[in-house]
Amino acid sequence: QVQLQESGPGLVKPSQTLSLTCTVSGGSITTNYYYWSWIRQPPGKGLEWLASIDYSGRTYYVPSLLKSRTSIARDTSKNQFTLQLSSVTPEDTGVYYCARKSGTAWGTDREYDYWGQGTQVTVSS
């Protein structure tokens, strides 16, 4: 059974960089042909896909203004992947999830077979 666990600060100040880690157990992040994603849900809104990294280390970003502020990476020795979101504003507040899917870099929430429990991030001074 694959398990994903998000970790990181619950509170970040505006203009700072948010750093989150997803620790994966029960399966390797290098296994063909899985994609490991960061997805968030702002309060009162739907899910928003942020970035993915695949089994080979290739990265994928949403084609929007978020792309310039987002960075995804991995540490295969720790079986972890990370998210950095720079210059955060209160609009970046929400629950951040890491999740796994196969086949393509992103998709609907139903296409993800494993999810972390989510971590609340609040951007406030």
Side-chain angles (χ1 to χ4, degrees), residues 17-111:
T17 295
L18 167 66
S19 295
L20 296 174
T21 298
C22 183
T23 301
V24 179
S25 60
S28 173
I29 62 173
T30 63
T31 300
N32 297 344
Y33 297 94
Y34 289 110
Y35 295 76
W36 306 88
S37 301
W38 285 101
I39 301 162
R40 71 180 183 183
Q41 186 167 28
K45 297 184 179 180
L47 294 172
E48 181 179 27
W49 178 80
L50 299 174
S52 291
I53 188 164
D54 73 13
Y55 52 95
S56 70
R58 182 177 180 181
T59 58
Y60 306 83
Y61 297 95
V62 61
S64 74
L65 293 177
L66 271 176
K67 181 179 179 180
S68 63
R69 299 196 291 125
T70 307
S71 178
I72 189 170
R74 68 178 187 173
D75 185 336
T76 57
S77 68
K78 296 180 180 179
N79 214 35
Q80 296 175 333
F81 62 104
T82 61
L83 175 75
Q84 288 198 321
L85 185 62
S86 63
S87 305
V88 297
T89 72
E91 291 187 348
D92 293 310
T93 293
V95 180
Y96 284 71
Y97 299 93
C98 56
R100 186 191 84 165
K101 71 182 301 293
S102 61
T104 57
W106 62 84
T108 65
D109 58 333
R110 295 182 180 181
E111 294 179 64

